[in-house]
Amino acid sequence: MSATPARLDGEALLRWPLPALDDGADKEARGRVLVIGGSREVAGAVLLAGTAALRVGAGKLVLATVASAAASLAMAMPEARVIALPETPGGGVDPDRVSSLEPVAEAAGAVLVGPGMMDAPATEELVARLMPSLRGRTVVLDARAMDVVTRLQRFDEPVLLTPHAGEMAHLSGAAKEDVLAEPLRAAREAARRWNAVVALKGAQTVIARPDGDAWLHEGGNAGLATSGSGDTLAGAIAGLAARGASLEQACAWGVVLHARAGEQLAERLGPVGYLARELPLEMLAVLRGLEAQAHSTR
């Protein structure tokens, strides 16, 4: 373990290329992503995450969300299979029906849980019950799905957690001010404690593995602090993981693509005011640019 985290930027990604895709690869070879999320009041978060997963190259997409939102989601995203799940009185996913998700989860290469989930107790229970079915899968836990760490304490297999400073303070019991003061230390301690890859998001984003290896990204802009931005980042990470990237590599690429997409939108539209729904297509443009740069240097 190096005490100094590795810097993350475009040049770093060029030295850490994504797993190659054969030109003849079908959609199965590019991986299947399952996104579990949404609620009666925040139905669009899974749409943002799913769009990002496909834009970075995942081959197949399954969205599992509350029944009240499933039909409209299927119309909004015809590229995806949409599964309607029973709801709690609070408008979240009913954990008592989690068994219906197990075969779908087992068929997925990457599983993202959390975008748009609002019923905190139900979400924690659902994730706790679902985890045994996710063994051997690449798992990304976002938003309220991360609360499961307060129950499980430590994962049998590493998963990816994507907290901002406030969420890290809630999950770890540390003061938010301490997290902000020493993000590298906070991320490393959490990764080791939970046996997880932790992406502590902020103006400086730190990615840490359980063994202490870490990466640091500085960039992005104020416009990325907008509703749904985190959903697009989580979806992009899941999509890259479905293509065969490791948790830390998928996260590193996702963080840089997300930040650069924000920078490019800010240049065209202004520093604030662009929408999260505009980020996935911009991430695709950034990805294509990096790939072209890689080819030109060979």
Side-chain angles (χ1 to χ4, degrees):
M1 178 190 78
S2 171
T4 303
R7 293 279 173 175
L8 271 182
D9 54 21
E11 292 300 319
L13 296 190
L14 293 177
R15 297 190 298 271
W16 197 6
L18 293 169
L21 292 174
D22 189 289
D23 287 340
D26 62 15
K27 58 189 177 183
E28 293 290 349
R30 285 164 44 200
R32 184 192 305 247
V33 176
L34 168 62
V35 180
I36 305 169
S39 59
R40 192 180 302 146
E41 296 181 1
V42 191
V46 289
L47 176 62
L48 293 171
T51 301
L54 290 180
R55 287 296 189 190
V56 298
K60 298 188 76 172
L61 176 65
V62 181
L63 304 176
T65 193
V66 291
S68 60
S72 58
L73 183 60
M75 293 295 291
M77 187 142 213
E79 298 87 351
R81 174 188 174 189
V82 179
I83 298 173
L85 300 171
E87 297 178 33
T88 65
V93 177
D94 187 350
D96 289 336
R97 300 296 295 275
V98 71
S99 59
S100 64
L101 285 172
E102 292 173 357
V104 187
E106 289 169 357
V111 180
L112 166 61
V113 191
M117 288 180 142
M118 296 298 290
D119 188 333
T123 299
E124 181 182 327
E125 182 66 25
L126 180 141
V127 178
R129 295 188 188 185
L130 188 61
M131 286 305 298
S133 300
L134 301 182
R135 290 193 180 96
R137 309 274 78 76
T138 298
V139 179
V140 181
L141 301 182
D142 185 48
R144 293 191 186 275
M146 294 187 290
D147 284 355
V148 76
V149 301
T150 62
R151 178 187 300 201
L152 299 182
Q153 301 297 318
R154 186 172 175 83
F155 296 100
D156 294 335
E157 299 175 349
V159 306
L160 175 67
L161 305 177
T162 59
H164 53 61
E167 291 169 328
M168 176 65 88
H170 162 67
L171 296 172
S172 66
K176 182 178 178 180
E177 294 75 14
D178 293 340
V179 174
L180 290 169
E182 296 187 89
L184 176 59
R185 178 180 177 181
R188 277 177 163 159
E189 288 181 351
R192 185 165 50 248
R193 173 180 170 187
W194 297 329
N195 189 35
V197 176
V198 174
L200 180 53
K201 300 180 295 189
Q204 290 185 326
T205 293
V206 176
I207 303 169
R209 295 196 320 187
D211 64 5
D213 283 350
W215 295 260
L216 174 66
H217 177 266
E218 298 177 285
N221 54 66
L224 287 171
T226 187
S227 295
S229 178
D231 301 320
T232 64
L233 173 58
I237 293 170
L240 293 165
R243 290 180 49 176
S246 65
L247 277 175
E248 56 269 28
Q249 185 184 29
C251 188
W253 272 78
V255 164
V256 175
L257 294 179
H258 185 254
R260 285 201 169 186
E263 290 166 358
Q264 292 183 180
L265 286 169
E267 288 176 3
R268 291 206 311 273
L269 304 177
V272 296
Y274 57 84
L275 304 178
R277 74 184 74 161
E278 296 167 317
L279 287 165
L281 186 57
E282 203 68 28
M283 282 193 273
L284 173 58
V286 176
L287 181 59
R288 295 287 83 83
L290 285 169
E291 290 177 337
Q293 187 177 349
H295 285 302
S296 70
T297 57
R298 288 175 184 170

